Amino acid sequence: MKLSTAVLGALSGLLTVPEATLASHTVSSNHTSTSAKSAPNFVFVITDDQDLELESVSYTPLIQKHLGKKGTFFKNHFVTTAICCPSRVALWTGRQPHNTNVTDVSPPYGGYPKFIERGFNSNFLPVWLQQAGYNTYYTGKLFNAHTVLNYNNPFVAGFTGSDFLLDPFTYSYYNSSYQRNQDPPVSYAGRHTTEVTTEKALGFLDDAIASGKPFFLTAAPIAPHAAVEGGNVGGFTEPIPLPQHANLFPNVTVPRTKHFNPDKPSGVSWIRNLPKQDQATLDYNDHYYRQRLRSLQGVDELVDSIVARLEKSGLLDNTYIIYTSDNGYHIGQHRLPPGKTCGFEEDIRVPLFIRGPGVAAGREETAVTTHIDLAPTIFDLAGIPLRDDFDGAPIPVNKNSHDVRHEHVTVEFWGSGIGEGVKGNVAPGNSAVFANNTYKSVRLIGEGYNLYYSVWCSNEHELYDLSTDPYQLNNLFSTDNTTSSHEPRLLGHTRSQVISRLDALLLVLKSCKGETCIKPWNVLHPNGSVKNLRDALSSTYDAFYTRQHKVSFDRCELGYIIDSEGPQTPLTYRHDWDLWT
């Protein structure tokens, strides 16, 4: 990624700063004898709510130095759900949220208790890596609703060493509580949480190096998440940086793109009813943005410290370093207050850098990748057979990576939208909670197309052509009765022809499992004649897609309640379709 002149100027004073069941197959025992010399190590850094589209990565020069210039940047990387806990569970299991059924940040539909209820404590990535002979370590935030009261009911499984942030102090930058291994929680009141996470990560890294075994270490700082004191959902305020970073970027503002506080409303549902922001709100949002950038400087230095420690140990060249975020973030786009939970690019696109053995340096990879691809990717790089219950596929990290790529991302959400910051209470009743934010969507990037299609629980639809409308301001979906001869065209076809294919694809993806999530077109066309949207747009299939079941909702729910989500099983194409329909 290239730094803009404005960003370089802002950085000028900084650059010198140093339901789960047992798997269909488990990891075979012949991997438990893997030696440290032959197996690669992994360091995984996951931030909280870090955007890509608002240019936050451009303000982290050490990450650019160590990962951007020395590794590969995956520019089309997306999350499956734009909120913390469901996204993290999807990442650590390799499954879509509709298959984990962990769909919220707290019970009854999500959080650590739901993770336990669904059986994943014995069936997620660190457990599998231990079975393959890895030592595993974790520090920082794991899941929401992992608390000072339930941390031992049960303890998190799968880690050789762990030191977790716990609610209700997870997002308290100067009053955090950590819980190490099976010890009681310890308060770190008065110390900045990023400093504590860094200290613990480096300690675990020393332990991992000394063990002589291959290792997987995760560092999960909370930056740049909003500050929340005492778990007060209505008390989201701007993040707090380390003191040495408190005055950086004094003139930086949220990028003033076309969709920033637009004159005309955009989107559907509650988003379309948002008021235009006044000057006081804009000023606060700029301050909020600067605080996010400042809070990330501690993460930047964390990555620098990890790389230095690996280099000193002689293990850097045999270690994959993976850097990403659980979801993206918006501030002012589409008139939105600070927050996530939407299907717009700001919320679903996140940074992904990978550095390590065989990974090209300074490369930008355009393949479509998603969080459910990361567990399969780690398996692939570690030489572990892939699991049948993975909904994702290994991404093209190096020349030895499997070459099974998809052009789609399934994005789904259940529950409410949340406004953050002191200006976030713009929902009805002066609330920060926006009801009926449940939706299903597909993000599609292929040869000659760049699309987003969604169906909300209100049965409103969105269709954006990001090739011509990168800021998603022009919803192409229409319910009018325009005749086909006068209907707008898209990709050389009528709009309704394109929509019928996207809707059928989404119908498969919203309930897919395993291989059908990776190759959804094979569900619609079992003979393999259709591999992508372009193939599906053949006029041969017009009648089939016209008669296909449509994605719809019977009602809005706060969680994954299947009987509220309309048709689940699509029709499949037969060569004699026109004769028997």
Side-chain angles (χ1 to χ4, degrees):
M1 298 175 66
K2 294 182 179 179
L3 299 181
S4 68
T5 302
V7 171
L8 286 170
L11 289 169
S12 60
L14 180 67
L15 292 171
T16 58
V17 176
E19 134 220 15
T21 57
L22 290 177
S24 52
H25 67 272
T26 57
V27 178
S28 58
S29 60
N30 63 352
H31 286 278
T32 60
S33 61
T34 302
S35 69
K37 291 184 179 179
S38 61
N41 306 302
F42 296 88
V43 173
F44 197 107
V45 180
I46 180 169
T47 54
D48 203 324
D49 289 2
Q50 185 178 357
D51 65 90
L52 177 65
E53 293 293 285
L54 304 189
E55 303 180 354
S56 68
V57 174
S58 297
Y59 293 87
T60 52
L62 298 173
I63 290 170
Q64 291 280 352
K65 172 186 173 182
H66 294 304
L67 305 183
K69 292 181 180 178
K70 297 292 186 178
T72 295
F73 168 59
F74 294 82
K75 64 183 299 181
N76 288 322
H77 187 74
F78 298 87
V79 301
T80 55
T81 304
I83 197 167
C84 309
C85 190
S87 178
R88 288 170 182 249
V89 175
L91 190 160
W92 297 127
T93 62
R95 298 185 184 189
Q96 281 288 148
H98 67 254
N99 288 328
T100 68
N101 204 7
V102 179
T103 60
D104 201 353
V105 296
S106 59
Y109 299 114
Y112 181 61
K114 186 70 170 182
F115 172 83
I116 296 298
E117 174 192 313
R118 296 288 293 162
F120 289 120
N121 199 34
S122 60
N123 200 26
F124 72 130
L125 184 63
V127 173
W128 304 329
L129 290 175
Q130 284 191 331
Q131 291 171 350
Y134 275 79
N135 280 349
T136 56
Y137 306 87
Y138 196 109
T139 187
K141 174 187 167 181
L142 181 63
F143 300 129
N144 302 83
H146 186 206
T147 76
V148 294
L149 299 178
N150 70 9
Y151 69 91
N152 58 355
N153 187 28
F155 288 105
V156 178
F159 291 105
T160 309
S162 60
D163 216 332
F164 299 117
L165 273 164
L166 295 180
D167 284 351
F169 307 105
T170 299
Y171 300 123
S172 181
Y173 276 80
Y174 276 100
N175 189 30
S176 58
S177 285
Y178 287 74
Q179 184 269 316
R180 186 176 184 88
N181 298 331
Q182 296 196 358
D183 298 338
V186 174
S187 172
Y188 285 81
R191 294 191 62 191
H192 195 283
T193 183
T194 303
E195 178 184 70
V196 177
T197 300
T198 299
E199 181 181 283
K200 294 178 180 295
L202 294 176
F204 279 140
L205 183 54
D206 286 342
D207 293 346
I209 292 168
S211 75
K213 294 183 65 177
F215 60 83
F216 183 93
L217 164 67
T218 299
I222 62 164
H225 194 283
V228 184
E229 296 298 332
N232 179 12
V233 174
F236 282 69
T237 59
E238 60 272 21
I240 303 171
L242 285 157
Q244 62 267 35
H245 305 137
N247 297 313
L248 294 173
F249 320 126
N251 300 314
V252 171
T253 61
V254 181
R256 294 312 201 251
T257 49
K258 289 183 178 179
H259 61 330
F260 179 81
N261 199 31
D263 291 334
K264 295 181 180 180
S266 54
V268 297
S269 189
W270 59 270
I271 299 171
R272 192 158 189 84
N273 297 322
L274 290 170
K276 188 170 171 59
Q277 297 176 350
D278 60 21
Q279 189 59 49
T281 301
L282 298 180
D283 292 342
Y284 173 75
N285 286 347
D286 285 334
H287 166 68
Y288 194 104
Y289 179 65
R290 288 190 288 270
Q291 289 294 91
R292 283 173 54 83
L293 300 180
R294 291 162 178 159
S295 73
L296 279 169
Q297 302 315 301
V299 179
D300 202 36
E301 292 166 3
L302 163 64
V303 171
D304 186 55
S305 298
I306 288 172
V307 171
R309 193 69 56 92
L310 286 169
E311 190 167 30
K312 183 179 179 180
S313 72
L315 293 179
L316 181 59
D317 290 342
N318 193 40
T319 301
Y320 290 100
I321 304 175
I322 303 172
Y323 181 97
T324 191
S325 175
D326 51 6
N327 49 257
Y329 208 75
H330 55 249
I331 306 177
Q333 296 73 35
H334 305 279
R335 302 181 177 179
L336 288 159
K340 54 264 185 185
T341 77
C342 298
F344 293 123
E345 293 287 277
E346 291 73 29
D347 293 13
I348 65 174
R349 270 189 191 265
V350 295
L352 176 63
F353 291 96
I354 301 180
R355 168 184 177 165
V359 179
R363 174 177 169 230
E364 287 195 358
E365 170 61 55
T366 60
V368 175
T369 60
T370 183
H371 269 11
I372 57 171
D373 295 332
L374 291 176
T377 300
I378 291 165
F379 265 49
D380 194 40
L381 294 173
I384 305 171
L386 299 181
R387 296 167 57 91
D388 294 337
D389 57 4
F390 280 151
D391 294 337
I395 66 179
V397 172
N398 58 39
K399 62 182 179 181
N400 297 318
S401 298
H402 293 284
D403 192 26
V404 179
R405 291 315 310 148
H406 47 75
E407 61 178 16
H408 63 273
V409 176
T410 310
V411 180
E412 42 197 1
F413 198 94
W414 297 263
S416 303
I418 304 292
E420 301 180 12
V422 300
K423 298 284 189 177
N425 297 337
V426 292
N430 199 34
S431 170
V433 179
F434 299 90
N436 300 336
N437 194 55
T438 297
Y439 58 85
K440 303 283 187 176
S441 62
V442 59
R443 183 72 173 86
L444 203 65
I445 302 176
E447 187 174 348
Y449 45 87
N450 187 3
L451 304 169
Y452 175 84
Y453 175 74
S454 71
V455 180
W456 287 59
C457 66
S458 59
N459 288 313
E460 295 172 274
H461 294 66
E462 292 173 291
L463 172 61
Y464 301 107
D465 179 1
L466 283 88
S467 297
T468 58
D469 179 26
Y471 299 117
Q472 296 170 286
L473 290 169
N474 182 25
N475 184 4
L476 299 177
F477 190 89
S478 176
T479 57
D480 64 28
N481 296 315
T482 304
T483 61
S484 59
S485 61
H486 294 92
E487 188 178 358
R489 300 185 70 81
L490 181 63
L491 310 181
H493 300 266
T494 65
R495 180 180 57 197
S496 59
Q497 287 173 321
V498 175
I499 289 173
S500 68
R501 273 65 168 182
L502 292 174
D503 196 85
L505 177 63
L506 182 56
L507 180 61
V508 175
L509 291 172
K510 77 187 186 80
S511 57
C512 68
K513 289 186 178 181
E515 184 77 3
T516 61
C517 297
I518 302 167
K519 299 179 179 180
W521 293 110
N522 285 357
V523 177
L524 298 165
H525 298 269
N527 66 354
S529 61
V530 172
K531 303 292 186 185
N532 51 47
L533 176 62
R534 185 69 65 186
D535 293 343
L537 284 168
S538 168
S539 60
T540 303
Y541 309 124
D542 283 349
F544 167 67
Y545 282 106
T546 298
R547 293 175 174 85
Q548 182 63 262
H549 301 313
K550 305 304 179 187
V551 176
S552 64
F553 287 83
D554 296 318
R555 62 188 183 277
C556 292
E557 291 281 2
L558 295 175
Y560 183 40
I561 311 297
I562 293 179
D563 69 10
S564 72
E565 300 202 352
Q568 297 293 309
T569 305
L571 302 172
T572 57
Y573 181 77
R574 288 173 45 177
H575 289 296
D576 58 351
W577 176 264
D578 287 327
L579 298 177
W580 63 268
T581 55

